Amino acid sequence: MPLTGSCLCGDVRFEIQGELEPLCHCHCSMCRKSHGAAFASFVGTGKSGFRWLRGADATKRYASSPGAFRPFCGRCGSIVPAAPESMDRVFVPAGLLAEDPRLAPLPHFFVASKAPWYTIPDSQPQFDEYPSGMGEGVPSPRKTEPTPEAVRGGCLCGAVAWETPRPVAGPIFLCHCNRCRRARAAAHGANLFVELERFRWLRGAERVERYKVPEAERFAQAFCRDCGSKVPSLGRRAVIPAGSLDDDPGVRPAMHVYVASKAPWFEICDDLPRYPEQAPS
């Protein structure tokens, strides 16, 4: 039985019939920016066992480092599988998978770059960068100027940047709903909610694309049209993907929501409150 997956809007779909290789949870700043999450989770498969069902021509890609591209859906911004020309391998964001791939727990890569607001709660192996022999990390310099008055963030390519004044009310919500998982192509979303009067674009608002799920009352994803990085979506409030932060917001995750829909391959290991759907308040 093949595994299938899709982006948030469904324009891009794929299936995997080959053997699936568990890879990692990656905490590098590039993955956090691209996915807007605490970390990205990847599995691998051979190219012969991978097939685009539709939408391969609907993807865009950003050269995040020499010879490395991060593809994303041009309509909804979901990060989609990458198939480097130089390798016989496809790297699949596990958050896009529709079925249970029955993965063993994944190790953590680039822990030296992890988000300061996120604590890794499980006991799986941790590596500061790649494990020995897998390659070298590529530095990704910050593209906003720090200031003590505000928390700032932006996209991977630097075209879009924003800020919200300190202190940040918080908390950060870890959301396991199907929409967040496909939108962020990750184990779960991680979001801050900020009142609109406490949010300001520093640059690049004209570079922001926003996709609203047609059947949803409010759910929308905003992303940089150039690099696909997740950026704040403005509605009743500013919904800020915590992975886009350049600074420590001073607040931490407070709860897991929509855990009834969580990825079957991801185990919640912390002691934070858990709610099957939305938090009661």
Side-chain angles (χ1 to χ4, degrees), residues 12 23 67 88 106 108 146 157 177 217 229 235 274:
V12 179
L23 295 178
D88 186 30
L106 304 181
H108 299 268
C157 72
C177 76
E217 181 181 353
S229 296
R274 307 175 190 184

Side-chain angles (χ1 to χ4, degrees), residues 69-84:
F69 296 90
R70 293 176 181 266
F72 60 97
C73 173
R75 184 181 181 207
C76 69
S78 294
I79 303 298
V80 297

Side-chain angles (χ1 to χ4, degrees), residues 16-279:
I16 301 169
Q17 298 214 21
E19 184 177 349
L20 203 62
E21 177 187 1
L23 295 178
C24 69
H25 298 307
C26 185
H27 295 261
C28 79
S29 59
M30 290 188 188
C31 280
R32 287 191 281 110
K33 291 273 186 184
S34 294
H35 293 255
F39 53 86
S41 304
F42 294 99
V43 296
T45 191
K47 286 183 177 176
S48 62
F50 179 89
R51 183 166 71 98
W52 296 106
L53 297 177
R54 74 179 188 204
D57 56 352
T59 65
K60 301 174 67 175
R61 63 181 195 168
Y62 171 69
S64 57
S65 55
F69 296 90
R70 293 176 181 266
F72 60 97
C73 173
R75 184 181 181 207
C76 69
S78 294
I79 303 298
V80 297
E85 295 178 3
S86 61
M87 302 177 69
D88 186 30
R89 209 176 190 193
V90 182
F91 299 94
V92 181
L96 302 179
L97 295 174
E99 296 84 20
D100 185 356
R102 303 188 183 280
L103 297 177
L106 304 181
H108 299 268
F109 290 2
F110 288 92
V111 172
S113 305
K114 80 171 187 67
W117 47 266
Y118 184 75
T119 299
I120 298 173
D122 63 46
S123 59
Q124 299 310 308
Q126 299 183 18
F127 301 89
D128 281 352
E129 295 190 356
Y130 283 122
S132 177
M134 285 191 64
E136 299 293 329
V138 178
S140 178
R142 176 178 178 144
K143 296 180 175 67
T144 60
E145 290 294 325
T147 174
E149 287 80 28
V151 170
R152 288 180 167 175
C155 68
L156 184 55
C157 72
V160 181
W162 54 267
E163 70 176 11
T164 185
R166 293 186 185 273
V168 177
I172 295 171
F173 293 83
L174 302 180
C175 184
H176 297 260
C177 76
N178 291 323
R179 289 168 181 164
C180 272
R181 285 193 283 111
R182 284 188 294 144
R184 305 296 168 81
H188 52 69
N191 300 310
L192 274 167
F193 294 85
V194 172
E195 299 302 323
L196 292 178
E197 60 269 21
R198 290 180 59 81
F199 178 87
R200 182 169 76 95
W201 296 110
L202 296 173
R203 62 175 178 268
E206 75 283 356
R207 309 303 300 165
V208 175
E209 296 285 348
R210 187 173 185 268
Y211 171 76
K212 180 185 175 299
V213 175
E215 64 272 21
E217 181 181 353
R218 291 189 295 272
F219 191 96
Q221 171 151 273
F223 60 98
C224 170
R225 68 176 61 167
D226 299 321
C227 67
S229 296
K230 308 308 165 287
V231 298
S233 175
L234 306 188
R236 295 182 181 179
R237 291 178 288 179
V239 182
I240 298 175
S244 69
L245 295 167
D246 288 328
D247 299 303
D248 186 341
V251 295
R252 299 292 182 262
M255 66 187 73
H256 296 270
V257 296
Y258 288 95
V259 296
S261 304
K262 82 170 187 65
W265 49 267
F266 181 77
E267 182 181 0
I268 299 174
C269 297
D270 58 47
D271 295 325
L272 296 176
R274 307 175 190 184
Y275 299 99
E277 296 188 352
Q278 194 170 358

